[in-house]
Amino acid sequence: MNKTLLAGLVVTAFMLLASLFGHYFAPHDLNESAQVSYSGGTLTVPPLPPSASYPLGTDKYGYDMLAKLLAGSRYTIFVAFAVALARMAIGGLIGLMAGYFGKAKPRAGRLPLWNVLNGIPVFVIVWMIMIGITMNPGASAPAMSLILAVVLTAVGIPSVAGTMKEKTAIVREKQFVLSARSIGAGSWRILRKHVFPHMKESFLILFVQEIVLILGLFGQLAILNIFVGGTKMLFDPVEYLSRTNEWSGLVGQARDNLFTNQWILFVPLAAYVVFILGFHLISIGLEKHYRKTFAKASQL
């Protein structure tokens, strides 16, 4: 049994189900705020620590952390999925074409375009594009999520294309591809019937790895106050809040709670890290599974 793959699937499945159906079981609504109360000589003021009434506590405005996590999970999870899928669809196709029809090796002294672009930190590029439009935007949260998704897709295509180009260039020299070409099979048929089926495992593993990279990129952008769905900027004092309550945004806006009211920081951080860990385990598990599958000796 591939325990690593199973553990990753269990974690991610739980997160997906919680994001889709968790709000039906949440004890408090997202817009319900705990009020200041006085009872038995005790003054209760938000933020409230984890308790029976608030299992994960509240933020400093009295909003339930569990409700915020469940509401923001859909942006964190599905935007990451969408970006990874778009990167694989576009970058994978470009890499497949370039690897099969391109030259085996670039000319001496010249580097492929994607190698040059990969030398620039992605989060810096995204920050320069998004910083002027993400603060108190007029567009809705879904629209801002779409804009960020398009930007993240565009900057990630060269990396995916470069990886798939190298893998395709290796596969096209395999004996079964050369045999198909020798008997007159066309290039498109070879790509569709021989090259792509042989690389579908690589596509799947790379897709999962892209999700991990994108989630990590969310965290890097959150440090710079770029949140999925846009950033709400308050003044006097200056404060940055996530409009969607997505997990990296909740972590980024709660950095000041490291020494006081730590649950406001560590609750979303735990969910964020566990979700990344789940996909990381899936990636490792898939690699183990395919390594074991292809290492089996053929039997007569």
Side-chain angles (χ1 to χ4, degrees):
M1 178 184 294
N2 193 331
K3 295 181 180 179
T4 304
L5 179 58
L6 180 60
L9 290 173
V10 169
V11 170
T12 53
F14 174 79
M15 291 291 190
L16 287 171
L17 290 174
S19 69
L20 292 172
F21 306 108
H23 61 282
Y24 293 112
F25 306 97
H28 299 278
D29 186 76
L30 179 63
N31 298 316
E32 179 184 343
S33 175
Q35 303 300 315
V36 177
S37 62
Y38 182 82
S39 177
T42 302
L43 181 65
T44 303
V45 181
L48 306 179
S51 63
S53 180
Y54 292 94
L56 300 181
T58 74
D59 65 5
K60 67 178 183 179
Y61 300 106
Y63 294 107
D64 183 21
M65 290 299 300
L66 177 58
K68 296 182 70 172
L69 278 179
L70 293 173
S73 63
R74 282 162 283 183
Y75 284 90
T76 303
I77 295 173
F78 295 113
V79 172
F81 265 87
V83 174
L85 188 61
R87 284 184 176 186
M88 292 303 304
I90 301 173
L93 180 61
I94 293 173
L96 201 65
M97 297 296 102
Y100 185 80
F101 294 105
K103 297 179 180 180
K105 295 182 180 180
R107 283 190 290 174
R110 295 187 61 182
L111 291 174
L113 175 61
W114 38 76
N115 285 356
V116 175
L117 294 177
N118 287 342
I120 305 174
V122 173
F123 76 93
V124 174
I125 300 175
V126 178
W127 176 81
M128 289 189 297
I129 296 173
M130 296 299 299
I131 188 61
I133 60 176
T134 196
M135 299 294 173
N136 295 328
S140 65
M144 291 303 301
S145 299
L146 178 60
I147 292 172
L148 180 61
V150 170
V151 173
L152 291 176
T153 298
V155 298
I157 287 175
S159 176
V160 174
T163 300
M164 298 314 300
K165 177 180 181 295
E166 294 175 359
K167 293 181 179 293
T168 305
I170 295 173
V171 173
R172 76 176 183 179
E173 303 301 327
K174 296 290 185 179
Q175 190 64 43
F176 64 91
V177 175
L178 297 177
S179 299
R181 191 181 301 149
S182 68
I183 62 175
S187 297
W188 295 109
R189 179 176 177 81
I190 293 174
L191 279 170
R192 188 175 67 255
K193 296 293 185 179
H194 299 284
V195 177
F196 179 75
H198 191 77
M199 295 179 59
K200 63 180 182 296
E201 294 84 5
S202 298
F203 270 88
L204 180 58
I205 292 174
L206 186 58
F207 172 70
V208 176
Q209 291 174 343
E210 282 296 309
I211 293 177
V212 175
L213 290 174
I214 293 163
L215 290 171
L217 187 56
F218 285 172
Q220 293 174 337
L221 292 172
I223 295 176
L224 302 175
N225 300 314
I226 305 295
F227 305 144
V228 178
T231 304
K232 183 178 181 180
M233 184 178 179
L234 305 178
F235 299 92
D236 297 326
V238 174
E239 187 176 2
Y240 301 94
L241 302 176
S242 172
R243 299 170 73 204
T244 60
N245 294 310
E246 57 90 16
W247 294 346
S248 61
L250 291 179
V251 174
Q253 72 183 35
R255 296 194 300 269
D256 295 337
N257 295 100
L258 180 61
F259 300 107
T260 58
N261 307 320
Q262 289 90 347
W263 67 88
I264 300 178
L265 170 63
F266 289 113
V267 163
L269 180 61
Y272 180 64
V273 170
V274 169
F275 190 58
I276 293 177
L277 178 61
F279 278 103
H280 183 62
L281 291 175
I282 291 177
S283 175
I284 296 174
L286 287 173
E287 290 177 352
K288 288 182 179 179
H289 171 71
Y290 292 129
R291 193 182 305 121
K292 182 179 179 180
T293 301
F294 296 133
K296 291 180 180 179
S298 59
Q299 302 295 322
L300 295 178

